[in-house]
Amino acid sequence: MAERWSVGARLRTLFGGGGAIDDDTWTDLEDTLLLADFGADASERLVDTLRDQVTKLNVSSARELQGMLRDAIAELLAGNDPTLRLTKPAPRADGTVLPAVVLVVGVNGVGKTTTIGKLSRFVVRAGRSVIVGAADTFRAAAVEQVSTWAARAGAEVVGPAQPGQDPASVAYQAVDRAISTGADVVIIDTAGRLQTKAGLMDELTKIRRVVEKLVPIAEVLLVVDATTGQNGLSQADAFIQHAGVTGIVLTKLDGSAKGGFVVGVQQLTGIPVKLIGYGEGIDDLAAFNSVSFAAALID
Ligand code: GDP
Ligand code: MG
């Protein structure tokens, strides 16, 4: 995994010399966290935690702060359960087996379609079959793009029968097809922009309602581009308010010096980060793990 987003190097420059801990130390630490996009709340909380520990444990050398920070971050992140729920719902009374349905939402360009390709590959590799619903039907190029990714991943695609077909009906058909073929997982791609934001939220609500006539939705994943930081989060706010988001996928961590955004996102939204994307390749996706992420961020 690329490590441009690590703050470890900066911490080593600041504290590696092992000087004494004083007021400047805390200012430097807070600035470092803010620059790495931890957000004001999480930065302050982490500095407070460390200050407490330094007093209690009688720590005198700044060198020790790096490890303490790593553990404090892991602990802060551990409050959120990152488990991706791909368990199938209980079969219907007549014995029909139902697929786990994942809806992928987020603003244009954040990496939804790419993430769907990566996630499909991941699930197929685990021995489960995937149907991708190409419900971003407003641009022919979007259907083509998700179809290419699905082919690479070894997943089937259900797309619009004619250009511009209603996205909710495509989503419905994808789930219906999975039920009739016994496919394990359905992943639905959606548009990131329509004429109006309200129109898009209505469309997503309709997709959810129509799909849930067949199967309860297992996950609504909101994709967020890590390079956009807090600004990207405010763009994503409408989705958080209206789309029933159950997990966040943070993409483009390879291109960001702001890995702290992972902490900021969870603090601000209360929604767990479940997957992280760190490149344009099909294998550049990982399940989120708080301990290893904190280590990669800080060490
Ligand atoms: P969508 O509009 O949300 O569906 O976004 P796309 O999946 O089309 O991705 C937009 C651009 O972001 C493409 O050029 C992708 O290759 C790129 N992209 C997606 N995920 C990542 C990532 O984790 N790292 C990098 N560097 N680029 C990514
Ligand atoms: Mg797309």
Side-chain angles (χ1 to χ4, degrees):
M1 198 184 298
E3 290 186 359
R4 265 190 56 202
W5 42 272
S6 165
V7 294
R10 182 167 157 85
L11 292 173
R12 265 189 295 285
T13 311
L14 283 171
F15 307 138
I21 296 171
D22 55 24
D23 282 348
D24 284 349
T25 312
W26 299 119
T27 314
D28 286 345
L29 180 60
E30 188 156 3
D31 288 351
T32 303
L33 296 176
L34 287 170
L35 282 171
D37 244 344
F38 279 74
D41 281 0
S43 300
E44 203 183 314
R45 227 168 119 175
L46 287 166
V47 169
D48 286 349
T49 305
L50 259 60
R51 281 188 103 130
D52 275 1
Q53 288 178 357
V54 160
T55 313
K56 272 190 203 127
L57 305 173
N58 227 342
V59 175
S60 56
S61 165
R63 192 180 281 149
E64 293 185 50
L65 291 176
Q66 195 153 346
M68 291 168 64
L69 178 62
R70 185 218 310 120
D71 295 346
I73 290 170
E75 199 163 304
L76 201 60
L77 291 171
N80 292 289
D81 180 4
T83 315
L84 190 67
R85 315 247 168 238
L86 293 181
T87 339
K88 296 184 188 188
R92 286 193 188 137
D94 66 1
T96 309
V97 175
L98 301 173
V101 177
V102 179
L103 187 63
V104 178
V105 305
V107 300
N108 259 358
V110 290
K112 289 182 296 300
T113 303
T114 308
T115 298
I116 288 168
K118 295 173 180 179
L119 182 58
S120 299
R121 161 85 138 219
F122 182 83
V123 176
V124 167
R125 280 234 170 120
R128 302 170 77 189
S129 51
V130 175
I131 290 183
V132 171
D136 180 358
T137 60
F138 296 96
R139 296 173 304 133
V143 175
E144 230 166 82
Q145 187 197 1
V146 81
S147 303
T148 304
W149 275 106
R152 290 174 64 196
E156 185 186 333
V157 179
V158 172
Q162 70 281 334
Q165 183 186 334
D166 177 41
S169 80
V170 172
Y172 183 91
Q173 280 165 9
V175 176
D176 195 42
R177 165 103 185 133
I179 293 171
S180 64
T181 61
D184 297 305
V185 177
V186 180
I187 307 176
I188 299 170
D189 194 18
T190 63
R193 187 172 53 209
L194 292 187
Q195 263 74 358
T196 64
K197 197 179 265 181
L200 177 58
M201 294 309 141
D202 287 348
E203 191 60 61
L204 292 175
T205 304
K206 187 170 159 199
I207 291 176
R208 285 166 61 209
R209 191 177 64 235
V210 162
V211 165
E212 294 212 313
K213 285 189 173 144
L214 294 172
V215 185
I217 293 179
E219 291 272 9
V220 178
L221 296 178
L222 172 67
V223 181
V224 179
D225 174 346
T227 61
T228 60
Q230 309 284 332
N231 178 42
L233 198 55
S234 55
Q235 283 190 51
D237 196 51
F239 294 91
I240 293 171
Q241 301 302 324
H242 302 288
V245 177
T246 58
I248 290 173
V249 182
L250 208 55
T251 58
K252 310 193 192 182
L253 273 166
D254 54 308
S256 169
K258 299 180 173 240
F261 188 47
V262 170
V263 182
V265 158
Q266 295 202 141
Q267 289 296 109
L268 287 170
T269 63
I271 301 169
V273 173
K274 297 198 165 181
L275 298 168
I276 54 177
Y278 48 85
E280 295 182 275
I282 198 161
D283 293 317
D284 297 332
L285 180 79
F288 182 69
N289 174 294
S290 56
V291 173
S292 54
F293 191 80
L297 194 56
I298 298 303
D299 289 348

